[in-house]
């Protein structure tokens, strides 16, 4: 049987990319690098391999007449046009659950970094400033109020950890989840007004674009801290910069940005803002588990078995 041919949608993490190259014939980002070569290979390409940040528009799928599956290494798949995939009978899979602990750990770490100013403390010692006197006092996280924008699998894992810090927990989501012991707020603004820390962990995409806007940030207030471990698109970045520079918002810790890997200079220039390069799931253990699952989905599909983790919109279609 001829080897199965695959297109990569963007640069992929090596743990995924290297294994793909072992198991398949990989066409690397031809739509970006060599459209003529893509046209030549298109009739043979049966899969697209993507990461959580990849863009897989309907227009790209339309150029691949034999496309059967898009396998995303990531829980987020907001860059994939799932409606177009569904219309063409193309399966889309992602890698939920295996990264819940990691992203929740990152969220708690960023909260502590923003509250206790740990990156600034490190810089303080290295710069020899301690010799001139102690660092300005930080603020306490334990016992404060946490608001979660999004209460899916990762949101629950963050809440679980926050309980150990004695935090009170509220959330907003599309609907209240009666089975959870946490307070539901009907909007991000109402939640922000009642929170010390607002942690964003909701899917990206059109439904949540700029959900965290100037009004929400003002409601969080001059003592409030915003933490984003979801997608940059969920926060109005210009409004965030304005709120931070004018003092309407107390602080922020950000793992994701509107136009990665470009971070606005205004954020880089704010010393009390904590910045990370989209590392929510970035440990060897977790990225390995994500790559294994993304590969297992491809393998199952091409062996004629049901995929393991179809995206929710396509789960019914799979059954
Ligand atoms: C990764 C992510 O950056 O899972 C997601 O949705 O954003 C991240 O865990 C990425 O997708 C790794 O491929």
């Amino acid at each position: 049987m001829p080897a199965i041919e695959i297109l990569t949608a963007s640069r992929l993490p090596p743990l995924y990319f290297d294994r793909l190259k072992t198991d398949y014939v990989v066409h690397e980002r031809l739509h970006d690098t060599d459209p003529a070569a893509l046209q030549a290979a298109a009739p043979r390409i049966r899969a697209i391999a993507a990461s959580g940040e990849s863009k897989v528009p309907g227009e790209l799928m339309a150029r691949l007449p034999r496309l059967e599956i898009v396998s995303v290494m990531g829980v987020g798949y907001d860059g994939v046009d799932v409606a177009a995939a569904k219309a063409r009978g193309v399966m889309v899979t992602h890698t939920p659950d295996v990264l819940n602990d990691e992203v929740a750990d990152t969220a708690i770490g960023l909260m502590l970094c923003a509250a206790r100013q740990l990156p600034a403390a490190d810089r303080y010692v290295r710069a020899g400033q301690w010799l001139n006197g102690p660092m300005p006092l930080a603020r306490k996280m334990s016992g404060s109020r946490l608001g979660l924008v999004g209460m899916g699998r990762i949101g629950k894992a963050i809440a679980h950890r926050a309980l150990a810090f004695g935090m009170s927990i509220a959330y907003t989501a599309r609907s209240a989840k009666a089975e959870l012991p946490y307070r539901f707020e009907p909007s991000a603004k109402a939640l922000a007004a009642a929170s010390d820390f607002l942690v964003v962990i909701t899917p990206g995409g059109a439904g949540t674009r700029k959900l965290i806007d100037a009004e929400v940030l003002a409601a969080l207030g001059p003592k409030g801290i915003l933490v984003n471990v979801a997608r940059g698109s969920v926060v109005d970045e210009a409004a965030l910069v304005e709120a931070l520079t004018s003092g309407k918002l107390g602080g922020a810790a950000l793992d994701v940005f509107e136009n990665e890997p470009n971070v606005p200079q205004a954020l880089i220039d704010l010393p009390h803002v904590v910045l990370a390069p989209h590392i929510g799931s970035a440990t060897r253990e977790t990225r390995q588990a994500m790559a294994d699952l993304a590969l297992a989905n491809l393998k199952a599909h091409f062996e004629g078995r049901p995929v393991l983790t179809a995206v929710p919109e396509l789960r019914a279609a799979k059954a």
Side-chain angles (χ1 to χ4, degrees), residues 120-207:
D122 178 89
R123 293 194 296 269
Y124 197 83
V125 174
R126 287 176 201 279
Q129 285 175 277
W130 193 12
L131 301 169
N132 306 322
M135 205 178 130
L137 295 179
R139 65 179 281 194
K140 185 172 178 176
M141 183 176 101
S142 284
S144 59
R145 299 170 300 168
L146 169 62
L148 286 160
V149 179
M151 190 42 98
R153 290 167 284 231
I154 303 174
K156 285 181 196 147
I158 297 170
H160 180 69
R161 285 157 174 74
L163 288 176
F165 287 87
M167 299 183 86
S168 65
I169 294 159
Y171 69 100
T172 191
R174 263 180 308 224
S175 56
K177 296 171 196 285
E179 71 282 10
L180 295 180
Y182 313 126
R183 197 181 78 250
F184 174 75
E185 291 285 355
S187 69
K189 189 176 168 189
L191 180 68
S195 300
D196 300 306
F197 292 83
L198 191 71
V199 175
V200 183
I201 184 62
T202 189

Coordinates of all heavy atoms in Angstrom, one line a residue, residues 120-207:
A120 N 9.7 39.8 38.9 CA 10.4 41.1 39.2 C 11.3 40.9 40.4 O 12.4 41.5 40.5 CB 9.3 42.1 39.6
A121 N 11.0 40.0 41.3 CA 11.8 39.7 42.4 C 13.2 39.1 42.0 O 14.2 39.4 42.5 CB 11.1 38.7 43.4
D122 N 13.1 38.2 41.0 CA 14.3 37.6 40.4 C 15.1 38.7 39.8 O 16.3 38.7 40.0 CB 13.8 36.5 39.4 CG 15.0 35.9 38.7 OD1 15.5 34.9 39.2 OD2 15.4 36.4 37.6
R123 N 14.5 39.5 39.0 CA 15.3 40.6 38.4 C 15.9 41.5 39.4 O 17.0 42.0 39.2 CB 14.3 41.5 37.4 CG 13.9 40.7 36.2 CD 13.3 41.6 35.2 NE 12.1 42.3 35.6 CZ 10.8 41.9 35.5 NH1 10.6 40.7 34.9 NH2 9.8 42.6 35.9
Y124 N 15.2 41.7 40.5 CA 15.6 42.6 41.6 C 17.0 42.1 42.2 O 17.9 42.9 42.4 CB 14.6 42.7 42.7 CG 14.7 43.8 43.6 CD1 14.1 45.0 43.3 CD2 15.2 43.6 44.9 CE1 14.2 46.1 44.2 CE2 15.3 44.7 45.8 CZ 14.8 45.9 45.5 OH 14.8 46.9 46.4
V125 N 17.0 40.8 42.4 CA 18.2 40.2 43.0 C 19.4 40.3 42.0 O 20.5 40.7 42.3 CB 18.0 38.8 43.5 CG1 19.3 38.1 44.0 CG2 16.9 38.8 44.6
R126 N 19.1 39.9 40.8 CA 20.1 39.8 39.8 C 20.7 41.2 39.5 O 21.9 41.4 39.2 CB 19.6 39.3 38.4 CG 19.3 37.8 38.5 CD 18.7 37.4 37.2 NE 18.0 36.1 37.4 CZ 18.6 34.9 37.4 NH1 19.9 34.9 37.2 NH2 18.0 33.8 37.6
A127 N 19.9 42.2 39.6 CA 20.3 43.6 39.3 C 21.1 44.2 40.5 O 21.5 45.4 40.4 CB 19.2 44.5 38.9
G128 N 21.2 43.5 41.6 CA 21.9 44.0 42.8 C 21.1 45.0 43.5 O 21.6 45.7 44.4
Q129 N 19.8 45.1 43.2 CA 19.0 46.2 43.9 C 18.7 45.9 45.4 O 18.4 46.8 46.2 CB 17.6 46.4 43.2 CG 17.8 47.1 41.9 CD 16.5 47.2 41.1 OE1 16.1 46.2 40.4 NE2 15.7 48.2 41.3
W130 N 18.8 44.6 45.7 CA 18.5 44.2 47.1 C 19.5 44.9 48.1 O 19.2 45.2 49.2 CB 18.7 42.7 47.2 CG 18.1 42.1 48.5 CD1 17.4 42.7 49.4 CD2 18.4 40.7 48.9 NE1 17.1 41.8 50.5 CE2 17.7 40.6 50.2 CE3 19.0 39.6 48.4 CZ2 17.7 39.4 50.9 CZ3 19.0 38.4 49.1 CH2 18.3 38.3 50.3
L131 N 20.7 45.1 47.5 CA 21.8 45.8 48.3 C 21.4 47.1 48.8 O 21.8 47.7 49.8 CB 23.1 45.8 47.5 CG 23.6 44.5 47.1 CD1 24.8 44.7 46.1 CD2 24.1 43.7 48.3
N132 N 20.4 47.8 48.0 CA 20.0 49.1 48.4 C 18.7 49.1 49.3 O 18.3 50.2 49.7 CB 19.6 49.9 47.1 CG 20.8 49.9 46.2 OD1 22.0 50.0 46.6 ND2 20.5 49.8 44.9
G133 N 18.2 47.9 49.5 CA 17.0 47.9 50.3 C 16.0 46.8 49.8 O 16.2 46.3 48.8
P134 N 14.9 46.6 50.6 CA 14.0 45.5 50.2 C 13.1 46.0 49.0 O 12.9 47.1 48.8 CB 13.1 45.3 51.5 CG 13.2 46.6 52.2 CD 14.6 47.2 51.9
M135 N 12.5 44.9 48.4 CA 11.6 45.2 47.3 C 10.3 45.7 47.8 O 9.9 45.4 48.9 CB 11.4 43.8 46.6 CG 11.0 43.9 45.2 SD 10.9 42.2 44.6 CE 9.3 42.3 43.8
P136 N 9.6 46.5 47.0 CA 8.2 46.9 47.4 C 7.3 45.7 47.8 O 7.5 44.7 47.2 CB 7.7 47.7 46.2 CG 8.8 48.0 45.4 CD 9.9 47.0 45.7
L137 N 6.4 45.9 48.7 CA 5.6 44.8 49.1 C 4.6 44.4 48.0 O 4.2 45.2 47.2 CB 4.7 45.2 50.3 CG 5.6 45.5 51.6 CD1 4.7 45.9 52.8 CD2 6.4 44.2 52.0
A138 N 4.4 43.1 47.9 CA 3.5 42.5 46.9 C 2.1 42.3 47.5 O 1.8 43.0 48.5 CB 4.0 41.2 46.4
R139 N 1.3 41.5 46.9 CA -0.1 41.3 47.5 C -0.4 39.8 47.6 O 0.2 39.0 47.0 CB -1.2 42.0 46.7 CG -1.3 41.4 45.3 CD -2.4 42.1 44.6 NE -3.7 41.6 45.0 CZ -4.8 41.8 44.4 NH1 -4.8 42.6 43.4 NH2 -5.9 41.3 44.8
K140 N -1.3 39.5 48.6 CA -1.6 38.2 48.9 C -2.6 37.5 47.9 O -3.5 38.2 47.5 CB -2.2 38.2 50.3 CG -2.5 36.8 50.9 CD -2.9 36.9 52.4 CE -3.2 35.5 52.9 NZ -3.6 35.6 54.3
M141 N -2.3 36.3 47.6 CA -3.2 35.6 46.7 C -4.2 34.7 47.5 O -5.4 34.6 47.3 CB -2.5 34.7 45.7 CG -3.4 34.0 44.7 SD -2.6 33.1 43.4 CE -2.7 31.5 44.0
S142 N -3.6 34.0 48.5 CA -4.4 33.0 49.3 C -5.6 33.8 49.9 O -5.5 34.9 50.3 CB -3.6 32.5 50.4 OG -2.7 31.5 49.9
G143 N -6.8 33.1 49.8 CA -8.0 33.7 50.5 C -8.7 34.8 49.6 O -9.7 35.3 50.0
S144 N -8.2 35.1 48.4 CA -8.8 36.1 47.6 C -9.9 35.5 46.7 O -10.1 34.3 46.7 CB -7.8 36.9 46.9 OG -7.0 36.1 46.0
R145 N -10.5 36.3 45.9 CA -11.6 35.9 45.0 C -11.2 35.6 43.6 O -10.6 36.4 42.9 CB -12.7 37.0 45.0 CG -13.2 37.3 46.4 CD -14.1 38.6 46.3 NE -13.3 39.7 45.8 CZ -13.9 40.9 45.5 NH1 -15.2 41.1 45.5 NH2 -13.1 41.9 45.1
L146 N -11.4 34.4 43.2 CA -11.1 34.0 41.8 C -12.3 33.9 40.9 O -13.3 33.3 41.3 CB -10.4 32.6 41.8 CG -10.2 31.9 40.5 CD1 -9.3 32.7 39.6 CD2 -9.7 30.5 40.7
G147 N -12.2 34.6 39.8 CA -13.3 34.5 38.8 C -12.8 33.7 37.6 O -11.8 34.1 37.0
L148 N -13.5 32.7 37.1 CA -13.0 31.9 36.0 C -14.0 32.2 34.8 O -15.2 32.0 34.9 CB -13.0 30.4 36.3 CG -11.9 29.9 37.2 CD1 -12.3 28.6 37.8 CD2 -10.6 29.8 36.4
V149 N -13.4 32.7 33.7 CA -14.1 32.9 32.5 C -14.0 31.6 31.7 O -13.0 31.4 31.0 CB -13.6 34.1 31.7 CG1 -14.4 34.2 30.4 CG2 -13.7 35.3 32.5
G150 N -15.0 30.7 31.8 CA -14.9 29.4 31.2 C -14.8 28.3 32.3 O -14.0 28.5 33.3
M151 N -15.6 27.3 32.3 CA -15.6 26.3 33.3 C -15.7 24.9 32.7 O -16.6 24.1 33.0 CB -16.8 26.5 34.3 CG -16.8 25.7 35.6 SD -15.2 25.5 36.4 CE -15.3 26.7 37.7
G152 N -14.8 24.7 31.7 CA -14.6 23.4 31.1 C -13.7 22.5 31.9 O -13.5 22.8 33.1
R153 N -13.0 21.6 31.3 CA -12.2 20.7 32.0 C -11.0 21.4 32.6 O -10.6 21.1 33.8 CB -11.6 19.6 31.0 CG -12.7 18.6 30.5 CD -12.2 17.9 29.3 NE -12.3 18.7 28.1 CZ -12.8 18.3 27.0 NH1 -13.4 17.1 26.9 NH2 -12.9 19.1 26.0
I154 N -10.4 22.3 31.9 CA -9.2 23.0 32.5 C -9.7 24.0 33.6 O -9.1 24.1 34.6 CB -8.4 23.8 31.4 CG1 -7.9 22.8 30.4 CG2 -7.2 24.5 32.0 CD1 -7.2 23.4 29.1
G155 N -10.8 24.7 33.4 CA -11.4 25.6 34.4 C -11.6 24.8 35.7 O -11.3 25.3 36.8
K156 N -12.1 23.6 35.6 CA -12.4 22.8 36.8 C -11.1 22.5 37.5 O -11.0 22.5 38.7 CB -13.1 21.5 36.5 CG -14.6 21.8 36.2 CD -15.3 20.5 35.9 CE -16.6 20.8 35.2 NZ -17.1 19.8 34.2
A157 N -10.0 22.2 36.7 CA -8.7 21.8 37.3 C -8.1 23.1 38.0 O -7.4 22.9 39.0 CB -7.8 21.3 36.2
I158 N -8.3 24.3 37.4 CA -7.8 25.5 38.1 C -8.6 25.7 39.4 O -8.0 26.0 40.5 CB -8.0 26.7 37.2 CG1 -7.1 26.5 35.9 CG2 -7.6 28.0 37.9 CD1 -7.4 27.6 34.8
A159 N -9.9 25.6 39.4 CA -10.7 25.8 40.6 C -10.3 24.8 41.7 O -10.2 25.2 42.8 CB -12.2 25.5 40.2
H160 N -10.0 23.6 41.3 CA -9.6 22.5 42.3 C -8.4 23.0 43.0 O -8.2 22.8 44.2 CB -9.4 21.2 41.5 CG -9.0 20.1 42.3 ND1 -9.8 19.5 43.2 CD2 -7.8 19.4 42.4 CE1 -9.2 18.5 43.8 NE2 -7.9 18.4 43.3
R161 N -7.4 23.5 42.2 CA -6.1 24.0 42.8 C -6.4 25.2 43.7 O -5.8 25.4 44.8 CB -5.1 24.3 41.7 CG -4.5 23.0 41.1 CD -4.0 23.3 39.7 NE -3.3 22.2 39.1 CZ -3.9 21.1 38.7 NH1 -5.2 21.0 38.8 NH2 -3.1 20.1 38.2
A162 N -7.2 26.1 43.2 CA -7.5 27.4 43.9 C -8.1 27.1 45.3 O -7.9 27.9 46.2 CB -8.3 28.3 43.1
L163 N -8.9 26.1 45.4 CA -9.5 25.7 46.7 C -8.4 25.5 47.7 O -8.6 25.9 48.9 CB -10.3 24.5 46.6 CG -11.7 24.6 45.8 CD1 -12.3 23.2 45.7 CD2 -12.6 25.6 46.5
A164 N -7.3 24.9 47.3 CA -6.2 24.7 48.3 C -5.5 26.0 48.7 O -4.8 26.0 49.7 CB -5.1 23.8 47.6
F165 N -5.8 27.1 48.0 CA -5.3 28.4 48.4 C -6.4 29.2 49.1 O -6.2 30.4 49.4 CB -4.9 29.2 47.1 CG -3.6 28.7 46.5 CD1 -3.6 27.7 45.6 CD2 -2.4 29.3 46.9 CE1 -2.4 27.3 45.0 CE2 -1.2 28.9 46.3 CZ -1.2 27.9 45.4
G166 N -7.4 28.5 49.5 CA -8.5 29.1 50.3 C -9.2 30.2 49.5 O -9.8 31.1 50.1
M167 N -9.2 30.1 48.2 CA -9.8 31.2 47.4 C -11.3 30.9 47.3 O -11.7 29.7 47.2 CB -9.2 31.2 46.0 CG -7.7 31.6 46.0 SD -7.0 31.7 44.4 CE -7.4 33.4 44.0
S168 N -12.2 31.9 47.2 CA -13.6 31.7 46.8 C -13.6 31.7 45.3 O -12.9 32.4 44.6 CB -14.4 32.8 47.4 OG -14.1 34.0 46.8
I169 N -14.5 30.9 44.8 CA -14.5 30.6 43.3 C -15.9 30.9 42.7 O -16.9 30.4 43.2 CB -14.1 29.2 43.0 CG1 -12.7 29.0 43.4 CG2 -14.3 28.9 41.5 CD1 -12.3 27.6 43.7
A170 N -15.9 31.7 41.6 CA -17.1 32.0 40.8 C -16.7 31.8 39.4 O -15.5 31.8 39.0 CB -17.6 33.4 41.1
Y171 N -17.7 31.7 38.5 CA -17.3 31.5 37.1 C -18.4 32.1 36.2 O -19.6 32.3 36.7 CB -17.1 30.0 36.8 CG -18.4 29.2 36.9 CD1 -19.1 28.8 35.7 CD2 -18.9 28.8 38.1 CE1 -20.3 28.1 35.8 CE2 -20.0 28.0 38.2 CZ -20.7 27.7 37.1 OH -21.9 27.0 37.2
T172 N -18.1 32.3 35.0 CA -19.1 32.5 34.0 C -18.9 31.6 32.8 O -17.7 31.1 32.6 CB -19.1 34.0 33.5 OG1 -20.3 34.2 32.7 CG2 -17.9 34.4 32.6
A173 N -20.0 31.2 32.2 CA -19.9 30.2 31.1 C -21.2 30.4 30.3 O -22.1 31.2 30.7 CB -19.8 28.8 31.6
R174 N -21.4 29.6 29.3 CA -22.6 29.7 28.5 C -23.9 29.5 29.4 O -24.9 30.1 29.3 CB -22.6 28.7 27.3 CG -22.2 29.4 26.0 CD -22.2 28.5 24.9 NE -21.5 27.3 25.3 CZ -20.6 26.7 24.5 NH1 -20.4 27.1 23.3 NH2 -19.9 25.6 24.9
S175 N -23.7 28.5 30.3 CA -24.9 28.3 31.2 C -24.3 27.8 32.6 O -23.2 27.3 32.6 CB -25.8 27.2 30.7 OG -25.0 26.0 30.4
A176 N -25.1 27.9 33.6 CA -24.7 27.5 35.0 C -24.6 26.0 35.0 O -25.4 25.3 34.3 CB -25.7 28.0 36.0
K177 N -23.6 25.5 35.7 CA -23.5 24.0 35.9 C -23.9 23.6 37.3 O -23.1 23.8 38.2 CB -22.0 23.6 35.6 CG -21.6 24.0 34.1 CD -20.1 23.8 33.9 CE -19.6 24.4 32.7 NZ -20.0 23.8 31.4
A178 N -25.1 23.1 37.4 CA -25.8 22.9 38.6 C -25.0 21.9 39.5 O -25.0 22.0 40.7 CB -27.2 22.3 38.4
E179 N -24.2 21.1 38.9 CA -23.4 20.0 39.6 C -22.2 20.6 40.4 O -21.6 19.9 41.2 CB -23.1 18.9 38.7 CG -22.0 19.1 37.7 CD -22.4 19.9 36.4 OE1 -23.5 20.4 36.4 OE2 -21.6 20.0 35.5
L180 N -21.8 21.8 40.0 CA -20.6 22.4 40.6 C -20.9 23.3 41.8 O -21.9 24.0 41.9 CB -19.9 23.3 39.6 CG -19.3 22.6 38.4 CD1 -18.7 23.6 37.4 CD2 -18.3 21.5 38.8
P181 N -20.0 23.3 42.8 CA -20.3 24.0 44.1 C -19.9 25.5 43.9 O -19.8 26.2 45.0 CB -19.4 23.3 45.1 CG -18.2 22.8 44.3 CD -18.8 22.5 42.9
Y182 N -19.6 26.0 42.7 CA -19.1 27.4 42.6 C -20.2 28.3 42.1 O -21.1 27.9 41.5 CB -18.0 27.4 41.5 CG -16.9 26.3 41.8 CD1 -16.6 25.4 40.7 CD2 -16.3 26.1 43.0 CE1 -15.6 24.4 40.9 CE2 -15.4 25.1 43.2 CZ -15.0 24.3 42.1 OH -14.1 23.3 42.3
R183 N -20.1 29.6 42.5 CA -21.1 30.6 42.1 C -21.0 30.9 40.6 O -20.0 31.2 40.1 CB -20.9 31.8 43.0 CG -22.1 32.8 43.0 CD -21.9 34.0 43.8 NE -21.1 35.0 43.1 CZ -19.8 35.3 43.4 NH1 -19.2 34.7 44.4 NH2 -19.2 36.2 42.7
F184 N -22.2 31.0 40.0 CA -22.3 31.3 38.6 C -22.6 32.8 38.5 O -23.4 33.3 39.2 CB -23.4 30.5 37.9 CG -23.6 30.9 36.5 CD1 -22.8 30.5 35.5 CD2 -24.8 31.6 36.1 CE1 -23.0 30.9 34.1 CE2 -25.0 32.0 34.8 CZ -24.1 31.6 33.8
E185 N -21.9 33.5 37.6 CA -22.2 34.9 37.2 C -22.7 34.9 35.8 O -22.1 34.3 34.9 CB -21.0 35.8 37.4 CG -20.6 36.0 38.9 CD -21.5 36.9 39.7 OE1 -22.5 37.5 39.1 OE2 -21.3 37.0 40.9
P186 N -23.7 35.7 35.5 CA -24.2 35.7 34.1 C -23.4 36.3 33.0 O -23.6 36.1 31.8 CB -25.5 36.4 34.2 CG -25.4 37.3 35.4 CD -24.4 36.6 36.3
S187 N -22.4 37.2 33.4 CA -21.6 37.8 32.4 C -20.1 38.0 32.9 O -19.9 37.9 34.1 CB -22.1 39.2 32.1 OG -21.9 40.1 33.2
A188 N -19.2 38.2 31.9 CA -17.8 38.4 32.3 C -17.7 39.7 33.1 O -16.9 39.7 34.1 CB -17.0 38.5 31.0
K189 N -18.5 40.7 32.8 CA -18.4 41.9 33.5 C -18.9 41.8 35.0 O -18.2 42.2 35.9 CB -19.3 43.0 32.8 CG -19.1 44.4 33.4 CD -19.9 45.4 32.6 CE -20.0 46.7 33.3 NZ -20.9 47.7 32.7
A190 N -20.0 41.1 35.2 CA -20.5 40.8 36.6 C -19.4 40.0 37.4 O -19.2 40.3 38.5 CB -21.8 40.1 36.5
L191 N -18.8 39.0 36.7 CA -17.8 38.2 37.3 C -16.6 39.0 37.7 O -16.1 38.9 38.8 CB -17.4 37.1 36.4 CG -16.4 36.1 36.9 CD1 -16.9 35.3 38.1 CD2 -15.8 35.2 35.8
A192 N -16.2 39.9 36.8 CA -15.0 40.7 37.0 C -15.2 41.6 38.2 O -14.3 41.8 39.0 CB -14.6 41.5 35.8
A193 N -16.4 42.2 38.3 CA -16.7 43.1 39.4 C -16.6 42.4 40.7 O -16.3 43.1 41.8 CB -18.1 43.7 39.2
A194 N -16.8 41.1 40.8 CA -16.8 40.4 42.0 C -15.5 39.5 42.2 O -15.5 38.6 43.0 CB -18.0 39.5 42.1
S195 N -14.4 39.9 41.5 CA -13.2 39.0 41.5 C -11.9 39.9 41.8 O -11.9 41.0 41.4 CB -13.0 38.3 40.1 OG -14.1 37.5 39.8
D196 N -11.0 39.3 42.4 CA -9.6 39.8 42.5 C -8.8 39.4 41.4 O -7.9 40.1 40.9 CB -9.0 39.4 43.9 CG -9.8 39.9 45.1 OD1 -10.1 41.1 45.1 OD2 -10.2 39.0 45.9
F197 N -8.9 38.1 41.0 CA -8.2 37.5 39.9 C -9.2 37.0 38.9 O -10.2 36.3 39.2 CB -7.4 36.3 40.3 CG -6.2 36.6 41.2 CD1 -6.4 36.8 42.6 CD2 -5.0 36.8 40.7 CE1 -5.4 37.1 43.4 CE2 -3.9 37.1 41.5 CZ -4.1 37.3 42.9
L198 N -9.1 37.5 37.6 CA -10.0 37.0 36.6 C -9.1 36.1 35.6 O -8.2 36.6 35.0 CB -10.6 38.2 35.8 CG -11.7 37.8 34.8 CD1 -13.0 37.4 35.6 CD2 -12.1 39.0 33.9
V199 N -9.4 34.8 35.6 CA -8.6 33.9 34.8 C -9.4 33.5 33.6 O -10.5 33.0 33.7 CB -8.2 32.7 35.6 CG1 -7.4 31.7 34.7 CG2 -7.3 33.1 36.7
V200 N -8.9 33.7 32.4 CA -9.6 33.4 31.1 C -9.2 32.0 30.7 O -8.0 31.8 30.4 CB -9.2 34.5 30.1 CG1 -10.0 34.2 28.8 CG2 -9.5 35.9 30.6
I201 N -10.1 31.1 30.6 CA -9.8 29.8 30.1 C -11.1 29.2 29.4 O -11.7 28.2 29.7 CB -9.4 28.8 31.3 CG1 -9.0 27.5 30.8 CG2 -10.4 28.8 32.4 CD1 -7.8 27.4 29.8
T202 N -11.4 30.0 28.3 CA -12.5 29.7 27.5 C -12.0 29.5 26.0 O -11.0 30.0 25.7 CB -13.6 30.8 27.5 OG1 -14.8 30.4 26.9 CG2 -13.1 32.1 26.9
P203 N -12.7 28.7 25.2 CA -12.2 28.5 23.9 C -12.1 29.8 23.1 O -12.9 30.7 23.3 CB -13.2 27.5 23.2 CG -13.9 26.9 24.3 CD -13.9 27.8 25.5
G204 N -11.2 29.9 22.1 CA -11.1 31.0 21.3 C -12.2 30.9 20.1 O -13.1 30.1 20.2
G205 N -12.0 31.8 19.1 CA -13.0 31.7 18.0 C -14.0 32.9 18.0 O -13.9 33.7 18.9
A206 N -14.8 32.9 17.1 CA -15.8 34.0 16.9 C -16.6 34.3 18.1 O -16.9 35.4 18.4 CB -16.6 33.8 15.6
G207 N -17.1 33.2 18.8 CA -18.0 33.4 19.9 C -17.4 34.1 21.1 O -18.2 34.6 21.9

